[in-house]
Amino acid sequence: MTTSVRDHVRAAWWLPVFAVVATAALFLVVKDSLTDDAYITLAYAKNLAVHGEWGLIAGEHANSATSPLNILLLALATLLTRIFGDAHPVIALGLVTVAAGAVIGWAWMRLVAALRLPSFAGVLGIAVVLLNPFVLSAIGLEVLLIPAALILLTVFAVEGRPVWFGAIAGLAVMIRLDLVVFVLILAFSSAAIRRKLVKAVLAAVAVAGPWYLFSWIAFGSAVPDTLVIKQLQGGLFGEWSFFTGPVMYFTGRKIVTAVAFAPALAGLFVLVSWFLVRFAVRWEKLEGGRGGLKEMAKIGPLAALGAGGVVYYGVYTLMGVGPYHWYFVAPIVSLSMSGVAILAFWLARSREQERLESRPPALALGLVGLALLGNIAVVAKPGVPWESPLIFGNWASAPDYARVGKALGERLDGATVSSPGEIGTLAYYCECKIVDEFSDRGRVVDKVEKRIAEANPITSFALRVNYLFFDRSIKPEPIQYELKYASGPAVGPDSWTVHSAAKGVGHFSLVPAARP
C-alpha cells in the first residue's frame, strides 16, 4: 500500500463506522417484520446451531437453503448467543447484518483510497444499498452479503490482488452460486487479475470447493433444491415473469418501487454512457498522454460491476424463475454502486485534468443524494419499527405467524402436518414436523425427476450430475394433519385469525389429513 493510498484510507476511516451505525439502526427498524423466507433461513440456522442438522425442521435433513454461507454465518452467530442461555437466531441475524454492513463500509473505504475518490462517494455507495426498500424488505436473506461480496470483488480487482479476489469469489458463490456471473466479468475486467488468473481460480476453489463437494455427496446435490422448486412454480405470479417483475411491483407499490429501482436505472444510464465514451475517445490524447489511458483502465472493474448486474438480469430472465423481490437485489445494488463509483471517479479525475468537466458528475452525485432523502422518507413513512415490509406478499404478518406457530406446536403433540404453502415462520416457532418440499426431501424426488425429464439436453445432463448422489428412495413423510389458509376471520376450533398488509384478514385451519 503506497503512502498516498494510506493517506486516503486514513481520511476515509469513518466510512465503516458510518455503515455499522446505519445498518444497526435499520435492523432495529425491520427486525419485527421479517418475511417468511427470512424465517426459513433462521430456522436452518437454529437447527444447525442447536441440533447440528442441515434442515428446516429438526430430525429432517434438507437442502433447500439457497445461501449456504448465510446459513453458516447465522448458525455461528446463533451458537455464540447460546453462551448467554437459549439460542437467539434473531439477535444472531442482527450481528451478521451489522457485520455485513461493516464489510460494505470497509470496502468503500478501500475503493475511495485506491481511486482517490471523494469520501462522500463512499457514503452514497453505502446508502444506495442500505436504504433500498427491496433490500430492507428481505433482511434475513443474503441481501446484504451480496453487495458486501460484490464491492469487495470490485476493490480487489481495482487493487490487482488475485489471491484475495479469488478468496472473495469463493465466498461469493457460497452466498449465491449465480454470483459467478459477477465473478467472471469482474475477473476479466482487471488486467492484474487476468495475468494471474490461475492464482485467483485456485483461491476460489480452495474456499468454495470443499463446501460444494461436501454438499454434492452428503446432501445429494451441490446446487440446492430451490433451483428446481422455483423453476417448477410456473403460474405462481400469473402473467408476470422475472423480466416484467419490476412492472408488477410498480403497479402495486409505485413510489416504493420507483425509489428502489431509480439508482439502478441511473447506474445503467451511467454505464451505457461510459461504454460509448470509452470507445469513442482516444484517451492517450488527453492531458497526461498514456497516463490518461492507464487511469481509464482503473474504471474497468467499476463498469464491470454494473455490467454484471445487466448480465445477471438476463440470466435470470432466461432461467424462467418468478419475480421474487429479493432476486432483484443483485442487479439493483450492483448497478447502483457502479453508477456512484463511476461518477465519483469522473469527478475525482476532473480535479486533476482540466479538460474533464466537473459539473456533470457533481450534479449527478448531488441528485443521487437528494434521491436518497426520498428513500429515507419512504422507509420512515410506515412508522418505526415496521409492522410489515414495504414489499410483502405473505398471508400473515410475522407476529401473527409466530402466534399460530406456537399454538400449532402445542396442538400437534408430535404429529406431522403439511404446510399451507408458506412454511418458514411456522416452522421456526412451532418446532414441529411441518412438511413440504422445503423441509421434507422425500417430496423433492418427483420434482427432480420431472425437471430432468422436461429440461433441454444440456440442462438435463447438468441436473443429473448435480443429483448423482441423491437418494431417490426417500419417501415423503406421512401426514396426520393439513394446515390450510383461507380469507376471512377464523370459524370454529383449531382455527386462527391472522392479518397481512398484503392479503388483509385471513385464517389458518388445522384439519385431519385425507386418507390416501
Side-chain angles (χ1 to χ4, degrees):
M1 187 185 292
T2 66
T3 303
S4 175
V5 172
R6 286 196 187 97
D7 291 342
H8 277 80
V9 167
R10 292 193 189 100
W13 66 268
W14 51 273
L15 285 175
V17 178
F18 166 75
V20 165
V21 173
T23 307
L26 289 167
F27 179 75
L28 294 177
V29 171
V30 306
K31 70 180 181 64
D32 296 328
S33 64
L34 304 179
T35 64
D36 193 67
D37 283 81
Y39 273 102
I40 290 179
T41 302
L42 291 177
Y44 259 90
K46 182 169 70 171
N47 278 331
L48 184 58
V50 176
H51 304 293
E53 298 173 344
W54 190 264
L56 180 58
I57 60 175
E60 288 285 340
H61 291 285
N63 196 21
S64 57
T66 304
S67 178
L69 185 60
N70 195 27
I71 302 296
L72 293 171
L73 291 175
L74 287 170
L76 177 61
T78 301
L79 199 60
L80 292 176
T81 66
R82 296 190 69 189
I83 296 173
F84 305 100
D86 294 334
H88 295 285
V90 175
I91 294 177
L93 173 60
L95 296 175
V96 172
T97 298
V98 171
V103 171
I104 294 171
W106 183 86
W108 271 101
M109 180 188 72
R110 298 283 302 198
L111 194 64
V112 163
L115 298 177
R116 307 188 307 280
L117 306 180
S119 295
F120 73 84
V123 174
L124 295 179
I126 295 165
V128 293
V129 172
L130 297 184
L131 291 174
N132 190 284
F134 275 50
V135 172
L136 293 176
S137 296
I139 292 294
L141 298 171
E142 59 277 8
V143 291
L144 282 183
L145 296 182
I146 290 172
L150 295 184
I151 194 65
L152 280 176
L153 286 170
T154 305
V155 167
F156 292 129
V158 168
E159 294 181 349
R161 296 172 179 266
V163 175
W164 278 107
F165 181 91
I168 300 303
L171 293 176
V173 297
M174 287 182 66
I175 294 169
R176 288 191 70 94
L177 186 56
D178 47 45
L179 293 185
V180 70
V181 170
F182 291 94
V183 170
L184 294 174
I185 294 174
L186 280 162
F188 285 100
S189 73
S190 169
I193 304 301
R194 291 197 304 271
R195 283 195 297 267
K196 297 184 178 180
L197 193 59
V198 173
K199 283 187 176 181
V201 171
L202 290 175
V205 171
V207 171
W211 169 261
Y212 280 107
L213 181 62
F214 172 77
S215 178
W216 188 38
I217 297 172
F219 300 150
S221 61
V223 180
D225 300 331
T226 41
L227 176 62
V228 168
I229 294 170
K230 297 296 185 183
Q231 287 184 324
L232 290 175
Q233 288 181 333
L236 185 62
F237 290 90
E239 62 182 330
W240 301 105
S241 64
F242 179 82
F243 182 74
T244 59
V247 180
M248 179 191 77
Y249 287 109
F250 185 77
T251 58
R253 300 298 304 274
K254 289 181 174 58
I255 295 178
V256 172
T257 305
V259 301
F261 280 92
L265 292 174
L268 179 61
F269 177 78
V270 171
L271 179 67
V272 172
S273 300
W274 176 83
F275 271 112
L276 293 176
V277 172
R278 172 67 180 85
F279 296 104
V281 175
R282 297 187 65 182
W283 293 93
E284 64 269 21
K285 297 294 186 182
L286 289 179
E287 187 175 323
R290 288 284 175 181
L293 187 60
K294 186 177 180 180
E295 280 292 298
M296 283 306 300
K298 294 180 181 179
I299 208 173
L302 309 183
L305 175 62
V310 176
V311 175
Y312 186 97
Y313 199 101
V315 169
Y316 258 62
T317 298
L318 294 175
M319 285 171 60
V321 296
Y324 293 96
H325 67 273
W326 53 90
Y327 287 177
F328 295 98
V329 165
I332 285 176
V333 298
S334 60
L335 282 164
S336 300
M337 292 192 295
S338 172
V340 168
I342 292 173
L343 288 171
F345 185 87
W346 179 2
L347 180 61
R349 297 297 80 78
S350 70
R351 295 172 177 174
E352 302 169 359
Q353 298 189 28
E354 293 182 0
R355 295 186 183 184
L356 289 177
E357 180 62 57
S358 64
R359 284 174 293 185
L363 177 61
L365 289 170
L367 291 175
V368 171
L370 289 175
L372 287 171
L373 294 178
N375 285 50
I376 294 174
V378 168
V379 170
K381 184 179 179 181
V384 293
W386 283 357
E387 294 182 359
S388 174
L390 292 175
I391 302 296
F392 188 60
N394 294 145
W395 289 325
S397 66
D400 279 357
Y401 258 139
R403 173 172 51 83
V404 175
K406 292 173 183 177
L408 193 63
E410 295 174 359
R411 171 66 177 81
L412 289 174
D413 192 27
T416 302
V417 60
S418 63
S419 90
E422 294 181 348
I423 190 173
T425 320
L426 292 170
Y428 179 88
Y429 281 102
C430 84
E431 298 185 340
C432 59
K433 275 204 169 185
I434 180 168
V435 296
D436 64 9
E437 61 267 31
F438 290 97
S439 63
D440 181 5
R441 206 76 191 282
R443 297 171 189 271
V444 178
V445 176
D446 289 344
K447 293 182 181 294
V448 169
E449 296 299 337
K450 177 180 173 64
R451 183 73 184 106
I452 290 175
E454 294 177 351
N456 62 57
I458 296 176
T459 303
S460 179
F461 174 75
L463 287 169
R464 290 180 188 279
V465 172
N466 183 56
Y467 286 101
L468 182 64
F469 298 103
F470 182 40
D471 184 0
R472 289 169 168 78
S473 67
I474 302 174
K475 301 298 181 184
E477 283 284 339
I479 59 172
Q480 289 78 50
Y481 293 96
E482 296 178 46
L483 188 64
K484 296 185 176 182
Y485 172 83
S487 59
V491 178
D494 290 340
S495 187
W496 301 272
T497 298
V498 295
H499 180 268
S500 161
K503 307 295 184 182
V505 175
H507 67 275
F508 289 98
S509 297
L510 184 68
V511 299
R515 292 182 179 275

